[in-house]
Amino acid sequence: IRMKNRTFDNHQRSIMELMAALGWVVIVPPPQGPVAFTKEAIGATEFWSNKIRKEFRGKNETQIRFCDAAKALIYDLVAYIKEFHLTGLTWNPKGGKLEEYTPGASPAAAAAATAPAVKKPAGGGGGPMAIMNELSKKQTSDGSSAATGLKKVTRDMQTWRKEFKADTSKVVSAPSPHTSIPIQKKYSGGGGGTIRKHAPVLQYEPMGNKWKVEYQTKDSAKGKPLEIKVKDVKEQVYLYQCNDVTVIVSNKLKNIIIDKCTKCNVVFDTVVSSVEIVNSQKVQVQTKGVCPSITIDKTDGFLAYLSKETVNSIEIVTSKSSEMNVSWEEANGEMKEAPIPEQFVSRFGNGVLKTDVSDLYH
């Protein structure tokens, strides 16, 4: 539905992208969890929010606050899912009566309220007194107790006394300095689990209109490009943890996301929203049609080949990235390449902070 007043057209598009995040309630991992699904709405929402900021900056601060509120809403939703529904939306299998429900009470509190009371053992809490009480219960009429029959520890058995005599009959030899000790590899990113190999994925999911390209390598692709034929402009392509592969996307689509990939090449026709590269290394993208925006975050090594239709209209947003370059064809048919600035100079004067690109790029 489009409003007749086109002034807030970008606002409506931003909200539509935000509403897509509510689909997390039907996401069942694996392969994707609700947190990752919800985070995908951030880039699409921010694409339209940035247009709003550009239009109303310095003119209407209410519109700027709208963009900030939309972004905060998604991040708060992600935090909520992480805390309460990390593995997906869950239900209490035992259920409960509606009349016994207390608004505002957590499931754990409700379960504790309906659970039968557990009788506490006599003798108070733990500690030395509890141990002495247990020992006294086990003492019989003839004076025997739980300690009856235990071997007495003499002074020469107590290691902290000078009378201690060590038993040298059993000596454990130290390992040779050249002896290798097997070490089990673990994840470097937390979790402490053993490294697992994932099966490569190349499939289309109707839920979310998404093409998933995950864990693909040069061997799994057999050295050939992976081809994706888009049928609907609402579809999107998501690359995750791919290594040394080339993906060719045909026809017009919504957006492309490249996440945690290394030495990957992506060739596509036209993108409606944007191309996002995050946490990746040595990534190359080539557009043969129109690409309005490219977002680069925490990426080392990036090269974009721009088409004639894109060269004069594209917007590139970068953060925490390095070794970024853009290449395009000039009117005379020659290819030209230029670096995306990584170094900036900020000057403060007259109460104003002004930031310019370093002279290295001029």
mmCIF file of all heavy atoms in Angstrom, residues 272-319:
data_model
loop_
_atom_site.group_PDB
_atom_site.id
_atom_site.type_symbol
_atom_site.label_atom_id
_atom_site.label_comp_id
_atom_site.label_asym_id
_atom_site.label_seq_id
_atom_site.Cartn_x
_atom_site.Cartn_y
_atom_site.Cartn_z
ATOM 1 N N VAL A 272 18.008 -3.644 -5.766
ATOM 2 C CA VAL A 272 17.086 -2.560 -5.444
ATOM 3 C C VAL A 272 17.532 -1.809 -4.192
ATOM 4 O O VAL A 272 17.508 -0.579 -4.149
ATOM 5 C CB VAL A 272 15.661 -3.109 -5.246
ATOM 6 C CG1 VAL A 272 14.703 -2.006 -4.802
ATOM 7 C CG2 VAL A 272 15.165 -3.760 -6.520
ATOM 8 N N SER A 273 17.956 -2.540 -3.153
ATOM 9 C CA SER A 273 18.285 -1.925 -1.873
ATOM 10 C C SER A 273 19.792 -1.670 -1.745
ATOM 11 O O SER A 273 20.250 -0.564 -1.969
ATOM 12 C CB SER A 273 17.802 -2.802 -0.727
ATOM 13 O OG SER A 273 18.157 -2.240 0.513
ATOM 14 N N SER A 274 20.553 -2.689 -1.408
ATOM 15 C CA SER A 274 21.974 -2.480 -1.163
ATOM 16 C C SER A 274 22.731 -3.802 -1.176
ATOM 17 O O SER A 274 22.134 -4.881 -1.146
ATOM 18 C CB SER A 274 22.193 -1.788 0.188
ATOM 19 O OG SER A 274 21.776 -2.634 1.246
ATOM 20 N N VAL A 275 24.042 -3.700 -1.187
ATOM 21 C CA VAL A 275 24.950 -4.834 -1.015
ATOM 22 C C VAL A 275 25.710 -4.601 0.287
ATOM 23 O O VAL A 275 26.316 -3.539 0.477
ATOM 24 C CB VAL A 275 25.935 -4.967 -2.192
ATOM 25 C CG1 VAL A 275 26.930 -6.088 -1.930
ATOM 26 C CG2 VAL A 275 25.179 -5.227 -3.487
ATOM 27 N N GLU A 276 25.671 -5.577 1.191
ATOM 28 C CA GLU A 276 26.315 -5.434 2.499
ATOM 29 C C GLU A 276 27.422 -6.472 2.641
ATOM 30 O O GLU A 276 27.212 -7.652 2.385
ATOM 31 C CB GLU A 276 25.293 -5.613 3.614
ATOM 32 C CG GLU A 276 24.139 -4.630 3.556
ATOM 33 C CD GLU A 276 23.097 -4.920 4.617
ATOM 34 O OE1 GLU A 276 23.481 -5.442 5.684
ATOM 35 O OE2 GLU A 276 21.909 -4.647 4.382
ATOM 36 N N ILE A 277 28.601 -5.998 3.062
ATOM 37 C CA ILE A 277 29.739 -6.876 3.325
ATOM 38 C C ILE A 277 30.166 -6.647 4.769
ATOM 39 O O ILE A 277 30.463 -5.522 5.166
ATOM 40 C CB ILE A 277 30.921 -6.598 2.366
ATOM 41 C CG1 ILE A 277 30.485 -6.777 0.913
ATOM 42 C CG2 ILE A 277 32.068 -7.527 2.673
ATOM 43 C CD1 ILE A 277 30.075 -5.517 0.225
ATOM 44 N N VAL A 278 30.203 -7.718 5.566
ATOM 45 C CA VAL A 278 30.528 -7.589 6.983
ATOM 46 C C VAL A 278 31.415 -8.750 7.424
ATOM 47 O O VAL A 278 31.226 -9.892 6.995
ATOM 48 C CB VAL A 278 29.237 -7.529 7.838
ATOM 49 C CG1 VAL A 278 28.396 -8.768 7.618
ATOM 50 C CG2 VAL A 278 29.551 -7.338 9.306
ATOM 51 N N ASN A 279 32.413 -8.441 8.238
ATOM 52 C CA ASN A 279 33.308 -9.455 8.822
ATOM 53 C C ASN A 279 33.927 -10.365 7.763
ATOM 54 O O ASN A 279 34.000 -11.589 7.937
ATOM 55 C CB ASN A 279 32.552 -10.321 9.845
ATOM 56 C CG ASN A 279 32.130 -9.532 11.064
ATOM 57 O OD1 ASN A 279 32.833 -8.624 11.502
ATOM 58 N ND2 ASN A 279 30.967 -9.832 11.604
ATOM 59 N N SER A 280 34.369 -9.786 6.670
ATOM 60 C CA SER A 280 34.890 -10.591 5.567
ATOM 61 C C SER A 280 36.293 -10.131 5.179
ATOM 62 O O SER A 280 36.779 -9.093 5.650
ATOM 63 C CB SER A 280 33.954 -10.512 4.352
ATOM 64 O OG SER A 280 32.668 -11.012 4.673
ATOM 65 N N GLN A 281 36.930 -10.916 4.298
ATOM 66 C CA GLN A 281 38.276 -10.608 3.817
ATOM 67 C C GLN A 281 38.365 -10.923 2.329
ATOM 68 O O GLN A 281 37.865 -11.957 1.874
ATOM 69 C CB GLN A 281 39.332 -11.411 4.587
ATOM 70 C CG GLN A 281 39.430 -11.050 6.066
ATOM 71 C CD GLN A 281 40.489 -11.885 6.782
ATOM 72 O OE1 GLN A 281 41.001 -12.856 6.252
ATOM 73 N NE2 GLN A 281 40.815 -11.486 7.999
ATOM 74 N N LYS A 282 39.016 -9.998 1.600
ATOM 75 C CA LYS A 282 39.303 -10.181 0.174
ATOM 76 C C LYS A 282 38.037 -10.531 -0.609
ATOM 77 O O LYS A 282 37.913 -11.606 -1.190
ATOM 78 C CB LYS A 282 40.369 -11.262 -0.021
ATOM 79 C CG LYS A 282 41.707 -10.933 0.638
ATOM 80 C CD LYS A 282 42.726 -12.033 0.428
ATOM 81 C CE LYS A 282 44.049 -11.687 1.106
ATOM 82 N NZ LYS A 282 45.053 -12.757 0.906
ATOM 83 N N VAL A 283 37.109 -9.606 -0.603
ATOM 84 C CA VAL A 283 35.838 -9.792 -1.293
ATOM 85 C C VAL A 283 35.780 -8.860 -2.501
ATOM 86 O O VAL A 283 36.183 -7.695 -2.420
ATOM 87 C CB VAL A 283 34.652 -9.504 -0.347
ATOM 88 C CG1 VAL A 283 33.337 -9.531 -1.109
ATOM 89 C CG2 VAL A 283 34.624 -10.528 0.782
ATOM 90 N N GLN A 284 35.265 -9.376 -3.625
ATOM 91 C CA GLN A 284 35.088 -8.584 -4.830
ATOM 92 C C GLN A 284 33.640 -8.703 -5.290
ATOM 93 O O GLN A 284 33.070 -9.795 -5.282
ATOM 94 C CB GLN A 284 36.027 -9.044 -5.950
ATOM 95 C CG GLN A 284 37.507 -8.855 -5.631
ATOM 96 C CD GLN A 284 38.399 -9.205 -6.805
ATOM 97 O OE1 GLN A 284 37.936 -9.355 -7.932
ATOM 98 N NE2 GLN A 284 39.683 -9.333 -6.545
ATOM 99 N N VAL A 285 33.064 -7.563 -5.678
ATOM 100 C CA VAL A 285 31.702 -7.555 -6.203
ATOM 101 C C VAL A 285 31.697 -6.803 -7.529
ATOM 102 O O VAL A 285 32.476 -5.862 -7.735
ATOM 103 C CB VAL A 285 30.710 -6.910 -5.213
ATOM 104 C CG1 VAL A 285 30.653 -7.676 -3.911
ATOM 105 C CG2 VAL A 285 31.061 -5.456 -4.951
ATOM 106 N N GLN A 286 30.826 -7.223 -8.414
ATOM 107 C CA GLN A 286 30.702 -6.571 -9.720
ATOM 108 C C GLN A 286 29.226 -6.415 -10.054
ATOM 109 O O GLN A 286 28.464 -7.380 -10.030
ATOM 110 C CB GLN A 286 31.400 -7.373 -10.816
ATOM 111 C CG GLN A 286 31.260 -6.761 -12.200
ATOM 112 C CD GLN A 286 31.944 -7.579 -13.281
ATOM 113 O OE1 GLN A 286 32.648 -8.538 -12.974
ATOM 114 N NE2 GLN A 286 31.743 -7.218 -14.528
ATOM 115 N N THR A 287 28.829 -5.188 -10.352
ATOM 116 C CA THR A 287 27.458 -4.930 -10.748
ATOM 117 C C THR A 287 27.396 -4.653 -12.240
ATOM 118 O O THR A 287 28.157 -3.839 -12.771
ATOM 119 C CB THR A 287 26.873 -3.729 -9.968
ATOM 120 O OG1 THR A 287 25.611 -3.400 -10.515
ATOM 121 C CG2 THR A 287 27.782 -2.522 -10.022
ATOM 122 N N LYS A 288 26.472 -5.342 -12.907
ATOM 123 C CA LYS A 288 26.281 -5.144 -14.342
ATOM 124 C C LYS A 288 25.107 -4.217 -14.625
ATOM 125 O O LYS A 288 24.907 -3.798 -15.767
ATOM 126 C CB LYS A 288 26.052 -6.501 -15.023
ATOM 127 C CG LYS A 288 27.258 -7.434 -14.905
ATOM 128 C CD LYS A 288 27.084 -8.674 -15.737
ATOM 129 C CE LYS A 288 26.044 -9.594 -15.176
ATOM 130 N NZ LYS A 288 25.930 -10.862 -15.934
ATOM 131 N N GLY A 289 24.345 -3.916 -13.573
ATOM 132 C CA GLY A 289 23.216 -3.011 -13.712
ATOM 133 C C GLY A 289 23.317 -1.863 -12.733
ATOM 134 O O GLY A 289 24.313 -1.154 -12.683
ATOM 135 N N VAL A 290 22.274 -1.709 -11.893
ATOM 136 C CA VAL A 290 22.199 -0.603 -10.933
ATOM 137 C C VAL A 290 22.399 -1.138 -9.521
ATOM 138 O O VAL A 290 21.841 -2.172 -9.159
ATOM 139 C CB VAL A 290 20.837 0.119 -11.035
ATOM 140 C CG1 VAL A 290 20.737 1.225 -9.998
ATOM 141 C CG2 VAL A 290 20.646 0.678 -12.435
ATOM 142 N N CYS A 291 23.191 -0.400 -8.732
ATOM 143 C CA CYS A 291 23.393 -0.722 -7.317
ATOM 144 C C CYS A 291 23.411 0.605 -6.550
ATOM 145 O O CYS A 291 24.392 1.348 -6.604
ATOM 146 C CB CYS A 291 24.695 -1.484 -7.107
ATOM 147 S SG CYS A 291 25.047 -1.874 -5.374
ATOM 148 N N PRO A 292 22.331 0.942 -5.850
ATOM 149 C CA PRO A 292 22.266 2.261 -5.199
ATOM 150 C C PRO A 292 23.184 2.428 -4.002
ATOM 151 O O PRO A 292 23.594 3.542 -3.687
ATOM 152 C CB PRO A 292 20.797 2.363 -4.773
ATOM 153 C CG PRO A 292 20.334 0.958 -4.657
ATOM 154 C CD PRO A 292 21.089 0.185 -5.683
ATOM 155 N N SER A 293 23.522 1.333 -3.314
ATOM 156 C CA SER A 293 24.289 1.482 -2.073
ATOM 157 C C SER A 293 25.120 0.236 -1.788
ATOM 158 O O SER A 293 24.685 -0.892 -2.047
ATOM 159 C CB SER A 293 23.339 1.741 -0.896
ATOM 160 O OG SER A 293 24.031 1.778 0.324
ATOM 161 N N ILE A 294 26.323 0.466 -1.237
ATOM 162 C CA ILE A 294 27.193 -0.613 -0.751
ATOM 163 C C ILE A 294 27.619 -0.258 0.669
ATOM 164 O O ILE A 294 28.099 0.850 0.918
ATOM 165 C CB ILE A 294 28.427 -0.806 -1.642
ATOM 166 C CG1 ILE A 294 28.021 -1.270 -3.047
ATOM 167 C CG2 ILE A 294 29.384 -1.828 -1.018
ATOM 168 C CD1 ILE A 294 29.205 -1.462 -3.995
ATOM 169 N N THR A 295 27.443 -1.195 1.585
ATOM 170 C CA THR A 295 27.837 -1.002 2.981
ATOM 171 C C THR A 295 28.948 -1.987 3.328
ATOM 172 O O THR A 295 28.791 -3.192 3.122
ATOM 173 C CB THR A 295 26.638 -1.216 3.933
ATOM 174 O OG1 THR A 295 25.586 -0.323 3.562
ATOM 175 C CG2 THR A 295 27.036 -0.954 5.368
ATOM 176 N N ILE A 296 30.060 -1.474 3.866
ATOM 177 C CA ILE A 296 31.218 -2.297 4.195
ATOM 178 C C ILE A 296 31.526 -2.119 5.675
ATOM 179 O O ILE A 296 31.747 -0.992 6.136
ATOM 180 C CB ILE A 296 32.443 -1.903 3.347
ATOM 181 C CG1 ILE A 296 32.065 -1.842 1.858
ATOM 182 C CG2 ILE A 296 33.593 -2.866 3.570
ATOM 183 C CD1 ILE A 296 33.132 -1.201 1.002
ATOM 184 N N ASP A 297 31.551 -3.211 6.429
ATOM 185 C CA ASP A 297 31.766 -3.138 7.875
ATOM 186 C C ASP A 297 32.729 -4.250 8.308
ATOM 187 O O ASP A 297 32.509 -5.424 7.990
ATOM 188 C CB ASP A 297 30.429 -3.271 8.605
ATOM 189 C CG ASP A 297 30.569 -3.111 10.107
ATOM 190 O OD1 ASP A 297 31.535 -2.456 10.541
ATOM 191 O OD2 ASP A 297 29.720 -3.641 10.848
ATOM 192 N N LYS A 298 33.783 -3.887 8.994
ATOM 193 C CA LYS A 298 34.763 -4.843 9.550
ATOM 194 C C LYS A 298 35.271 -5.796 8.468
ATOM 195 O O LYS A 298 35.268 -7.019 8.640
ATOM 196 C CB LYS A 298 34.130 -5.636 10.701
ATOM 197 C CG LYS A 298 33.685 -4.781 11.864
ATOM 198 C CD LYS A 298 33.003 -5.608 12.946
ATOM 199 C CE LYS A 298 32.471 -4.727 14.055
ATOM 200 N NZ LYS A 298 31.740 -5.502 15.077
ATOM 201 N N THR A 299 35.713 -5.231 7.372
ATOM 202 C CA THR A 299 36.174 -6.026 6.236
ATOM 203 C C THR A 299 37.546 -5.534 5.801
ATOM 204 O O THR A 299 37.781 -4.329 5.693
ATOM 205 C CB THR A 299 35.185 -5.915 5.066
ATOM 206 O OG1 THR A 299 33.927 -6.485 5.468
ATOM 207 C CG2 THR A 299 35.696 -6.659 3.841
ATOM 208 N N ASP A 300 38.462 -6.458 5.546
ATOM 209 C CA ASP A 300 39.814 -6.149 5.076
ATOM 210 C C ASP A 300 39.982 -6.707 3.671
ATOM 211 O O ASP A 300 39.966 -7.917 3.473
ATOM 212 C CB ASP A 300 40.865 -6.762 6.015
ATOM 213 C CG ASP A 300 40.769 -6.204 7.424
ATOM 214 O OD1 ASP A 300 40.510 -5.001 7.555
ATOM 215 O OD2 ASP A 300 40.934 -6.976 8.388
ATOM 216 N N GLY A 301 40.129 -5.797 2.713
ATOM 217 C CA GLY A 301 40.290 -6.213 1.330
ATOM 218 C C GLY A 301 38.963 -6.234 0.599
ATOM 219 O O GLY A 301 38.186 -7.181 0.727
ATOM 220 N N PHE A 302 38.674 -5.166 -0.171
ATOM 221 C CA PHE A 302 37.410 -5.087 -0.901
ATOM 222 C C PHE A 302 37.633 -4.365 -2.224
ATOM 223 O O PHE A 302 38.346 -3.362 -2.299
ATOM 224 C CB PHE A 302 36.356 -4.341 -0.082
ATOM 225 C CG PHE A 302 35.109 -4.013 -0.850
ATOM 226 C CD1 PHE A 302 34.144 -4.976 -1.065
ATOM 227 C CD2 PHE A 302 34.914 -2.745 -1.388
ATOM 228 C CE1 PHE A 302 32.993 -4.694 -1.781
ATOM 229 C CE2 PHE A 302 33.776 -2.452 -2.110
ATOM 230 C CZ PHE A 302 32.821 -3.426 -2.307
ATOM 231 N N LEU A 303 37.020 -4.884 -3.281
ATOM 232 C CA LEU A 303 37.107 -4.263 -4.594
ATOM 233 C C LEU A 303 35.747 -4.350 -5.266
ATOM 234 O O LEU A 303 35.150 -5.431 -5.332
ATOM 235 C CB LEU A 303 38.165 -4.943 -5.458
ATOM 236 C CG LEU A 303 38.302 -4.447 -6.897
ATOM 237 C CD1 LEU A 303 38.650 -2.961 -6.935
ATOM 238 C CD2 LEU A 303 39.350 -5.260 -7.648
ATOM 239 N N ALA A 304 35.251 -3.202 -5.758
ATOM 240 C CA ALA A 304 33.958 -3.152 -6.439
ATOM 241 C C ALA A 304 34.158 -2.685 -7.873
ATOM 242 O O ALA A 304 34.805 -1.662 -8.118
ATOM 243 C CB ALA A 304 33.006 -2.211 -5.706
ATOM 244 N N TYR A 305 33.605 -3.462 -8.820
ATOM 245 C CA TYR A 305 33.589 -3.078 -10.227
ATOM 246 C C TYR A 305 32.203 -2.500 -10.525
ATOM 247 O O TYR A 305 31.203 -3.211 -10.449
ATOM 248 C CB TYR A 305 33.869 -4.283 -11.124
ATOM 249 C CG TYR A 305 35.255 -4.863 -10.958
ATOM 250 C CD1 TYR A 305 35.480 -5.929 -10.085
ATOM 251 C CD2 TYR A 305 36.335 -4.353 -11.662
ATOM 252 C CE1 TYR A 305 36.749 -6.465 -9.930
ATOM 253 C CE2 TYR A 305 37.616 -4.883 -11.514
ATOM 254 C CZ TYR A 305 37.810 -5.941 -10.648
ATOM 255 O OH TYR A 305 39.070 -6.462 -10.492
ATOM 256 N N LEU A 306 32.172 -1.207 -10.871
ATOM 257 C CA LEU A 306 30.904 -0.519 -11.057
ATOM 258 C C LEU A 306 30.557 -0.407 -12.534
ATOM 259 O O LEU A 306 31.421 -0.186 -13.380
ATOM 260 C CB LEU A 306 30.969 0.885 -10.437
ATOM 261 C CG LEU A 306 31.385 0.950 -8.958
ATOM 262 C CD1 LEU A 306 31.394 2.386 -8.486
ATOM 263 C CD2 LEU A 306 30.475 0.094 -8.094
ATOM 264 N N SER A 307 29.267 -0.529 -12.824
ATOM 265 C CA SER A 307 28.784 -0.383 -14.197
ATOM 266 C C SER A 307 28.597 1.097 -14.526
ATOM 267 O O SER A 307 28.623 1.965 -13.642
ATOM 268 C CB SER A 307 27.465 -1.135 -14.367
ATOM 269 O OG SER A 307 26.472 -0.569 -13.523
ATOM 270 N N LYS A 308 28.346 1.403 -15.795
ATOM 271 C CA LYS A 308 28.133 2.781 -16.210
ATOM 272 C C LYS A 308 26.863 3.350 -15.582
ATOM 273 O O LYS A 308 26.775 4.546 -15.290
ATOM 274 C CB LYS A 308 28.040 2.850 -17.732
ATOM 275 C CG LYS A 308 29.343 2.501 -18.445
ATOM 276 C CD LYS A 308 29.189 2.595 -19.948
ATOM 277 C CE LYS A 308 30.489 2.243 -20.657
ATOM 278 N NZ LYS A 308 30.359 2.320 -22.147
ATOM 279 N N GLU A 309 25.854 2.501 -15.358
ATOM 280 C CA GLU A 309 24.613 2.962 -14.755
ATOM 281 C C GLU A 309 24.773 3.302 -13.274
ATOM 282 O O GLU A 309 24.009 4.087 -12.717
ATOM 283 C CB GLU A 309 23.515 1.902 -14.900
ATOM 284 C CG GLU A 309 23.110 1.592 -16.337
ATOM 285 C CD GLU A 309 23.997 0.539 -16.970
ATOM 286 O OE1 GLU A 309 25.050 0.240 -16.383
ATOM 287 O OE2 GLU A 309 23.631 0.030 -18.048
ATOM 288 N N THR A 310 25.760 2.710 -12.636
ATOM 289 C CA THR A 310 25.921 2.859 -11.189
ATOM 290 C C THR A 310 26.918 3.943 -10.809
ATOM 291 O O THR A 310 26.815 4.535 -9.740
ATOM 292 C CB THR A 310 26.357 1.508 -10.580
ATOM 293 O OG1 THR A 310 25.372 0.526 -10.885
ATOM 294 C CG2 THR A 310 26.525 1.589 -9.074
ATOM 295 N N VAL A 311 27.868 4.209 -11.691
ATOM 296 C CA VAL A 311 29.019 5.029 -11.336
ATOM 297 C C VAL A 311 28.656 6.408 -10.800
ATOM 298 O O VAL A 311 29.325 6.929 -9.906
ATOM 299 C CB VAL A 311 29.946 5.140 -12.576
ATOM 300 C CG1 VAL A 311 30.120 6.526 -13.081
ATOM 301 C CG2 VAL A 311 31.284 4.543 -12.305
ATOM 302 N N ASN A 312 27.594 7.006 -11.278
ATOM 303 C CA ASN A 312 27.252 8.377 -10.890
ATOM 304 C C ASN A 312 26.139 8.455 -9.849
ATOM 305 O O ASN A 312 25.674 9.552 -9.533
ATOM 306 C CB ASN A 312 26.835 9.192 -12.127
ATOM 307 C CG ASN A 312 27.973 9.367 -13.114
ATOM 308 O OD1 ASN A 312 29.121 9.576 -12.719
ATOM 309 N ND2 ASN A 312 27.666 9.263 -14.399
ATOM 310 N N SER A 313 25.717 7.316 -9.316
ATOM 311 C CA SER A 313 24.597 7.354 -8.370
ATOM 312 C C SER A 313 24.805 6.514 -7.117
ATOM 313 O O SER A 313 23.970 6.544 -6.216
ATOM 314 C CB SER A 313 23.309 6.884 -9.066
ATOM 315 O OG SER A 313 23.470 5.549 -9.539
ATOM 316 N N ILE A 314 25.905 5.770 -7.050
ATOM 317 C CA ILE A 314 26.096 4.854 -5.918
ATOM 318 C C ILE A 314 26.546 5.596 -4.673
ATOM 319 O O ILE A 314 27.216 6.635 -4.734
ATOM 320 C CB ILE A 314 27.117 3.752 -6.293
ATOM 321 C CG1 ILE A 314 27.114 2.655 -5.226
ATOM 322 C CG2 ILE A 314 28.515 4.335 -6.449
ATOM 323 C CD1 ILE A 314 27.888 1.425 -5.622
ATOM 324 N N GLU A 315 26.176 5.037 -3.525
ATOM 325 C CA GLU A 315 26.591 5.544 -2.216
ATOM 326 C C GLU A 315 27.304 4.409 -1.479
ATOM 327 O O GLU A 315 26.765 3.311 -1.354
ATOM 328 C CB GLU A 315 25.379 6.022 -1.420
ATOM 329 C CG GLU A 315 25.712 6.536 -0.035
ATOM 330 C CD GLU A 315 24.464 6.925 0.741
ATOM 331 O OE1 GLU A 315 23.658 6.021 1.031
ATOM 332 O OE2 GLU A 315 24.298 8.110 1.032
ATOM 333 N N ILE A 316 28.522 4.674 -0.997
ATOM 334 C CA ILE A 316 29.324 3.657 -0.308
ATOM 335 C C ILE A 316 29.543 4.104 1.133
ATOM 336 O O ILE A 316 30.094 5.182 1.384
ATOM 337 C CB ILE A 316 30.679 3.434 -1.009
ATOM 338 C CG1 ILE A 316 30.444 2.994 -2.460
ATOM 339 C CG2 ILE A 316 31.495 2.383 -0.266
ATOM 340 C CD1 ILE A 316 31.720 2.805 -3.254
ATOM 341 N N VAL A 317 29.104 3.261 2.089
ATOM 342 C CA VAL A 317 29.254 3.542 3.515
ATOM 343 C C VAL A 317 30.243 2.531 4.100
ATOM 344 O O VAL A 317 30.056 1.318 3.930
ATOM 345 C CB VAL A 317 27.901 3.447 4.249
ATOM 346 C CG1 VAL A 317 28.073 3.762 5.726
ATOM 347 C CG2 VAL A 317 26.893 4.390 3.612
ATOM 348 N N THR A 318 31.291 3.012 4.764
ATOM 349 C CA THR A 318 32.316 2.123 5.316
ATOM 350 C C THR A 318 32.512 2.382 6.801
ATOM 351 O O THR A 318 32.297 3.497 7.286
ATOM 352 C CB THR A 318 33.656 2.331 4.589
ATOM 353 O OG1 THR A 318 34.136 3.658 4.857
ATOM 354 C CG2 THR A 318 33.503 2.151 3.093
ATOM 355 N N SER A 319 32.927 1.334 7.521
ATOM 356 C CA SER A 319 33.265 1.464 8.941
ATOM 357 C C SER A 319 34.192 0.319 9.333
ATOM 358 O O SER A 319 33.955 -0.830 8.962
ATOM 359 C CB SER A 319 31.999 1.460 9.802
ATOM 360 O OG SER A 319 31.296 0.248 9.666
#
